[in-house]
Amino acid sequence: GINAEYGEIEEKINEIQWLKRQNNNLFLLSTNDKTIKLWKVSERRYRLDGFNLYDEYGVQRDVRSINTLRIPHLVPVNELTVEATPKRVYDKAHMYHINSISLNSDDETYLSADDLRINLWHLNYNTECYNVVDIKPVNMEELTEVITAAKFHPQHCNYFVYSSSKGTIRLCDMRAQALCDQHAKMFEEPEDSTTKSFFSEIISSISDVKFSSCGRYMVSRDYLTVKLWDLNMDSRPIETYNVHEYLRSKLCSLYENDCIFDKFEVVWGGPSNSILTGSYNNFFRIFDRTNNKDACFEASRESAKPKTQLKHCKVGVGPKRRKDEISVEMLDFNHKILHAHWHPTDNVIAVAATNNLYLFTGK
């Protein structure tokens, strides 16, 4: 669509957040680059019938032919229909592209974050919001980092975190001050000088951060790894998992084709015992924290057939590799899993591979 203030806005959805269910209807927040919308999703089991001015096909009748007065009534429909109706629009609050939205545990407010600012909204008021983080420098030439994601704490409505392109996560407390430019804690892994390269800052940029259900831990995703953080220890992550370490030698070509800037999501599974994230070649990796194991699988039409057992995928580096391994040179970087989700109560995962959505269930 075309917006007079922002110019052309790409028709896409950056993120969806479901509200807690209050009645028979479902509500969700969706956002594109500039506009956030509150939607009501409802089921229609009945339709209105018996209008006076319109016939059963919706065509207006000749008023002169109407000689009786009918009372409209509800009649059951043969097929259940689902309707999505926009209830509120929250716009004109972001100058830069919105990268994340996050609902608060109070079920009344939510955050929206772009590259340089984070705003606090009330669901019932779409005419105003409050700026809680602003990292825009007076001189844009002094800009050194951007905000990549923001999330509310699942239990304490005054806490939220936001990650940055420099690989840091800042914890903010809204009780301290209205503008949370001063963080309460900053989580950052010490830089390893032995592995520092031209790509170090790019691959350390955090693309996603999520709280565990208990609120004690956070999981973050950068280009090559997944890191687990304890809110009580900000000096280093307590666990680090390699997602596709075999790509470290390919960073130069990944930089040239812009794949190095891909933003992968990371999600918790079960009672925070598992972690799921995506990779290239339609691969996705699951880390089992209980058994300290991980497995890589491929989302494909063959693997999505009913009662099909998922096979482990292995990537080989170098000229010598096993028969069950795929060469890193054969990986398709146009097929990638950036988005994934784990059902909050059931052992079901959803992964989005390009224009296909795959659902897998565990035994």
Side-chain angles (χ1 to χ4, degrees):
I2 303 295
N3 184 293
E5 185 173 351
Y6 302 120
E8 187 172 355
I9 300 174
E10 188 177 354
E11 292 183 354
K12 65 174 183 176
I13 299 295
N14 292 343
E15 188 168 0
I16 291 175
Q17 289 274 302
W18 290 95
L19 278 65
K20 288 184 180 178
R21 193 163 191 164
Q22 306 290 342
N23 48 40
N24 291 334
N25 301 317
L26 295 171
F27 290 87
L28 63 88
L29 283 172
S30 69
T31 182
N32 62 10
D33 287 340
K34 298 294 183 183
T35 305
I36 305 162
K37 292 182 180 180
L38 175 66
W39 298 83
K40 173 186 175 183
V41 183
S42 56
E43 297 176 346
R44 278 193 64 181
R45 300 179 182 273
Y46 301 90
R47 64 176 174 85
L48 277 172
D49 195 19
F51 289 100
N52 291 284
L53 300 179
Y54 298 91
D55 62 17
E56 57 187 273
Y57 302 106
V59 179
Q60 190 168 1
R61 290 175 173 172
D62 185 354
V63 179
R64 293 170 294 181
S65 67
I66 301 174
N67 50 29
T68 59
L69 181 65
R70 297 187 299 176
I71 299 176
H73 58 281
L74 293 171
V75 296
V77 294
N78 295 327
E79 293 184 2
L80 176 67
T81 58
V82 178
E83 291 183 337
T85 310
K87 304 300 289 184
R88 289 190 184 89
V89 176
Y90 312 86
D91 59 358
K92 299 178 182 177
H94 287 278
M95 289 298 296
Y96 305 93
H97 288 182
I98 299 172
N99 53 49
S100 58
I101 51 177
S102 177
L103 284 161
N104 202 347
S105 59
D106 61 10
D107 298 328
E108 293 182 347
T109 56
Y110 72 91
L111 291 175
S112 62
D114 64 26
D115 290 347
L116 300 179
R117 292 188 177 97
I118 301 176
N119 293 330
L120 177 67
W121 298 84
H122 195 288
L123 287 168
N124 293 336
Y125 304 100
N126 60 348
T127 56
E128 61 180 3
C129 62
Y130 298 96
N131 181 224
V132 291
V133 172
D134 187 348
I135 65 169
K136 183 180 180 181
V138 177
N139 183 2
M140 286 297 286
E141 293 181 357
E142 298 174 359
L143 182 68
T144 58
E145 63 180 332
V146 295
I147 298 168
T148 56
K151 289 291 181 292
F152 260 124
H153 192 278
Q155 297 168 356
H156 302 293
C157 60
N158 53 290
Y159 289 135
F160 70 90
V161 297
Y162 68 92
S163 56
S164 84
S165 57
K166 276 196 168 182
T168 63
I169 304 173
R170 292 174 173 87
L171 174 70
C172 299
D173 187 350
M174 292 191 294
R175 296 173 301 181
Q177 53 192 15
L179 189 62
C180 300
D181 286 347
Q182 299 298 321
H183 52 267
K185 279 187 175 183
M186 185 168 74
F187 301 83
E188 184 177 18
E189 185 175 30
E191 188 177 44
D192 187 356
S193 57
T194 59
T195 60
K196 189 175 181 179
S197 68
F198 170 78
F199 307 107
S200 294
E201 187 169 328
I202 301 174
I203 64 175
S204 67
S205 175
I206 296 175
S207 57
D208 195 18
V209 59
K210 298 278 174 60
F211 278 104
S212 62
S213 56
C214 67
R216 169 74 183 270
Y217 304 101
M218 294 183 299
V219 63
S220 65
R221 172 69 203 265
D222 55 40
Y223 190 67
L224 294 178
T225 67
V226 165
K227 294 183 174 67
L228 187 72
W229 305 84
D230 187 333
L231 259 64
N232 295 334
M233 188 176 78
D234 55 9
S235 57
R236 59 178 55 85
I238 58 173
E239 297 171 18
T240 300
Y241 302 97
N242 292 320
V243 180
H244 37 217
E245 182 64 22
Y246 46 80
L247 295 182
R248 190 174 288 276
S249 61
K250 308 285 290 181
L251 292 179
C252 187
S253 58
L254 291 168
Y255 177 79
E256 291 174 354
N257 62 18
D258 284 343
C259 284
I260 200 170
F261 301 105
D262 286 334
K263 308 297 183 185
F264 292 94
E265 288 183 355
V266 61
V267 293
W268 292 95
S272 303
N273 292 330
S274 302
I275 299 170
L276 165 67
T277 192
S279 181
Y280 295 103
N281 210 68
N282 280 358
F283 287 170
F284 61 95
R285 193 173 290 273
I286 297 177
F287 302 97
D288 186 345
R289 298 183 55 230
T290 305
N291 301 318
N292 198 26
K293 294 181 179 180
D294 68 280
C296 181
F297 304 102
E298 181 183 8
S300 64
R301 294 186 183 276
E302 290 72 25
S303 63
K305 292 179 180 179
K307 298 182 180 179
T308 301
Q309 188 77 21
L310 283 176
K311 296 180 180 179
H312 290 236
C313 300
K314 298 179 181 179
V315 178
V317 181
K320 294 183 179 180
R321 67 177 192 276
R322 299 176 182 175
K323 289 184 179 180
D324 59 344
E325 291 182 340
I326 180 174
S327 170
V328 68
E329 305 295 335
M330 300 296 292
L331 295 177
D332 188 345
F333 294 103
N334 292 319
H335 291 79
K336 57 194 101 172
I337 294 178
L338 301 178
H339 308 288
H341 200 73
W342 203 307
H343 194 282
T345 55
D346 297 335
N347 198 17
V348 178
I349 62 172
V351 293
T354 316
N355 59 343
N356 295 310
L357 178 66
Y358 297 94
L359 294 175
F360 299 101
T361 180
K363 293 182 179 179

